[in-house]
Amino acid sequence: MTTFTLADLETIVAARAKASPEESWTAKLIAAGPERAAKKLGEEAVEAVIAAVKGDREELIAESADLLYHLLVVLLSRDVALQDVLSQLEARTARSGLAEKAARKP
């Protein structure tokens, strides 16, 4: 059994972004600009929150997939690699979440 990863999805998103906007939703979002992609990301985040609050497991899974996909589109639109985000997460694991969060306060 193969395991599908976010890196796999990042590769697919990058490939589809190069297609014609008439043929690819990803290309259409990229062509519309980072603001449109970010708006769609926000919509998907709200839908994931609603599914979580409702306790609808299947809907939460589907909306989470949409959320991750749209996050990768936004990252691509701003030339941010997934590995940059993962490196940030890795650096944050060096201390507890509470300590990390406290360190970010002004």
Side-chain angles (χ1 to χ4, degrees):
M1 183 172 118
T2 61
T3 303
F4 186 76
T5 68
L6 286 177
D8 295 333
L9 181 58
E10 180 183 40
T11 300
I12 292 166
V13 166
R16 291 184 179 170
K18 295 174 184 171
S20 165
E22 290 78 34
E23 298 174 8
S24 165
W25 172 246
T26 303
K28 188 173 187 169
L29 281 173
I30 294 294
E35 296 80 9
R36 175 66 179 118
K39 181 180 176 195
K40 190 63 182 163
L41 174 63
E43 291 169 6
E44 298 301 341
V46 169
E47 290 172 4
V49 168
I50 291 168
V53 170
K54 288 186 340 187
D56 186 329
R57 184 177 189 282
E58 293 305 314
E59 186 176 350
L60 179 56
I61 291 168
E63 295 301 342
S64 295
D66 289 345
L67 180 60
L68 290 172
Y69 160 77
H70 284 91
L71 173 59
L72 291 178
V73 172
V74 168
L75 292 176
L76 178 65
S77 75
R78 289 300 190 188
D79 196 29
V80 175
L82 175 61
Q83 187 55 54
D84 295 336
V85 176
L86 296 175
S87 294
Q88 178 68 36
L89 285 170
E90 181 180 30
R92 289 181 182 185
T93 62
R95 56 183 157 176
S96 79
L98 295 176
E100 190 277 328
K101 189 168 180 119
R104 285 191 273 155
K105 290 188 178 177

